[in-house]
C-alpha cells in the first residue's frame, strides 16, 4: 500500500535529478547577466509605470523571478508576483488565482498588464490572457511548451503525475488526475490551441539547448518566436532573453501609455 511518505520521497528525488544540472548552470549565469550591458544600461523611465505580472515555472515560486523583477523595476516598470506559492496546483484553479492577481494589478496601475511566465508559468499566462484579454497588454513566455504541456521531459511529467496521486490521497493544493485526463485537461488544451486576440501581442522565447521543454513545443503560432541559447531553468537569467524582451516591453509600455496598438519590433 502506498504511503504519503513514499511518493513524497520519489517526488523530491525526481525533482532533484531533473533540475540539478540546470540550477548549477543558472547560478553560473548570474554574474554574466549582471555584467552584461542589457542589465547595466537602461532608461529608468522606459517602463512608464507599466504593470507586469510574473508567473513562476513548475515547482517554483515568486522568488525564482526575483532578478527579472529587479531588472524591470530599474527600468520604470511595476512588476509583481503571481503569489500562487509553488506552481504545483490544478491548472484551472491556478488560472483563477492569477486572474484575480491580474485584476488587482490592473486596478493598482490603472492600465492593462503585461504577463511574463516561465515554463508552466508561460502557458498559465497564456490561459489567463485568453480569459481576460481586456486586461492584458502583452504576453511573454519563456520555455513554455504550449503546443503540448505533457510533452515536457518525462521526469518532469512523472513528478506532475506523482503530485496528482498525492492529491487523491488527500494532500491539498496539488494538481489532480483531472488535470491530465479530465475536463480540466481538455478545456485547457483546447484553450492553448486557440488564437490570441489581435491586441495581445506575444513573445515566445525558446532554446534548442532546453532539455526540459522541447523547443518545437514552444513555437506558439500566434506569438513572435525568438531563439536564445540557454538551459530551461536558466532562461530567465540569460542576457539574450532580456535583449529580446527589452524593446518589445518598451513598445508595449509606450503603446499602453498612449492608448495605441503596439507596433511590430
Amino acid at each position: 500500500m502506498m504511503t504519503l511518505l513514499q511518493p513524497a520521497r520519489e517526488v523530491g528525488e525526481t525533482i532533484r535529478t531533473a533540475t540539478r544540472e540546470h540550477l548549477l548552470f543558472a547560478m553560473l549565469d548570474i554574474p554574466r547577466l549582471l555584467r552584461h550591458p542589457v542589465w547595466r544600461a537602461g532608461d529608468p523611465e522606459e517602463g512608464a509605470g507599466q504593470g507586469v505580472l510574473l508567473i513562476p515555472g513548475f515547482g517554483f515560486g515568486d522568488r525564482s523571478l526575483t532578478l527579472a523583477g529587479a531588472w524591470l523595476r530599474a527600468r520604470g516598470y511595476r512588476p509583481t508576483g503571481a503569489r500562487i506559492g509553488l506552481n504545483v496546483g490544478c491548472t484551472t484553479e491556478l488560472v483563477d488565482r492569477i486572474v484575480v492577481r491580474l485584476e488587482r494589478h490592473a486596478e493598482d496601475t490603472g492600465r492593462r498588464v503585461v504577463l511574463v511566465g516561465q515554463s508552466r508559468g508561460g502557458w498559465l499566462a497564456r490561459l489567463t490572457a485568453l480569459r481576460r484579454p481586456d486586461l492584458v497588454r502583452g504576453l511573454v513566455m519563456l520555455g513554455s511548451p504550449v503546443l503540448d504541456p505533457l510533452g515536457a521531459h518525462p521526469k518532469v511529467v512523472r513528478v506532475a503525475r506523482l503530485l496528482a496521486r498525492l492529491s487523491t490521497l488527500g494532500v491539498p493544493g496539488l494538481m489532480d488526475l483531472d488535470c491530465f485526463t479530465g475536463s480540466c485537461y481538455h478545456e485547457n488544451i483546447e484553450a492553448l490551441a486557440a488564437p490570441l486576440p489581435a491586441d495581445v501581442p506575444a513573445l515566445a522565447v525558446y532554446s534548442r539547448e532546453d532539455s526540459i521543454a522541447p523547443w518545437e513545443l514552444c513555437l506558439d503560432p500566434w506569438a513572435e518566436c525568438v531563439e536564445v541559447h540557454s538551459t530551461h531553468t536558466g532562461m530567465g537569467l540569460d542576457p539574450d532573453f532580456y535583449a529580446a524582451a527589452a524593446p518589445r516591453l518598451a513598445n508595449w509600455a509606450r503603446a499602453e501609455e498612449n492608448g495605441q496598438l503596439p507596433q511590430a519590433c
Side-chain angles (χ1 to χ4, degrees), residues 205-236:
V205 181
Y206 68 94
S207 172
R208 295 172 193 263
E209 299 170 29
D210 188 330
S211 59
I212 300 296
W215 67 272
E216 301 93 336
L217 301 182
C218 303
L219 302 181
D220 191 322
W222 304 101
E224 179 187 5
C225 299
V226 173
E227 182 177 6
V228 297
H229 303 283
S230 166
T231 62
H232 181 79
T233 306
M235 198 170 292

Side-chain angles (χ1 to χ4, degrees), residues 3-179:
T3 66
L4 288 177
L5 189 57
Q6 178 184 347
R9 285 192 186 126
E10 191 173 356
V11 168
E13 181 56 33
T14 306
I15 290 177
R16 284 190 293 273
T17 300
T19 63
R20 187 180 297 119
E21 177 184 0
H22 304 286
L23 288 173
L24 286 173
F25 274 118
M27 291 173 64
L28 292 174
D29 268 345
I30 292 175
R32 183 168 71 95
L33 172 62
L34 298 182
R35 291 193 303 267
H36 196 280
V38 77
W39 181 273
R40 298 166 65 90
D43 179 0
E45 305 297 325
E46 181 177 282
Q50 173 64 54
V52 181
L53 183 60
L54 299 169
I55 306 171
F58 176 68
F60 289 88
D62 288 342
R63 289 187 178 181
S64 65
L65 294 171
T66 296
L67 284 178
W71 181 85
L72 289 163
R73 198 170 291 109
R75 283 151 183 78
Y77 296 91
R78 291 181 60 182
T80 190
R83 298 184 187 175
I84 56 174
L86 295 180
N87 186 345
V88 293
C90 165
T91 300
T92 300
E93 292 177 1
L94 287 179
V95 173
D96 289 343
R97 292 171 62 185
I98 294 169
V99 166
V100 171
R101 287 290 296 158
L102 170 64
E103 293 170 343
R104 186 167 302 169
H105 203 38
E107 182 178 355
D108 289 344
T109 59
R111 62 176 70 180
R112 289 179 290 180
V113 173
V114 172
L115 301 177
V116 177
Q118 183 165 9
S119 190
R120 189 191 190 203
W123 54 266
L124 291 176
R126 193 187 198 282
L127 293 171
T128 301
L130 288 166
R131 182 90 67 86
R132 290 301 308 270
D134 57 310
L135 297 181
V136 178
R137 170 69 287 174
L139 169 65
V140 179
M141 299 169 285
L142 291 77
S144 302
V146 295
L147 300 184
D148 180 9
L150 295 184
H153 192 285
K155 289 181 178 179
V156 177
V157 177
R158 189 185 311 158
V159 169
R161 292 189 180 279
L162 285 169
L163 291 173
R165 289 166 61 193
L166 285 171
S167 179
T168 65
L169 293 172
V171 178
L174 304 177
M175 62 179 68
D176 57 30
L177 295 177
D178 193 46
C179 295

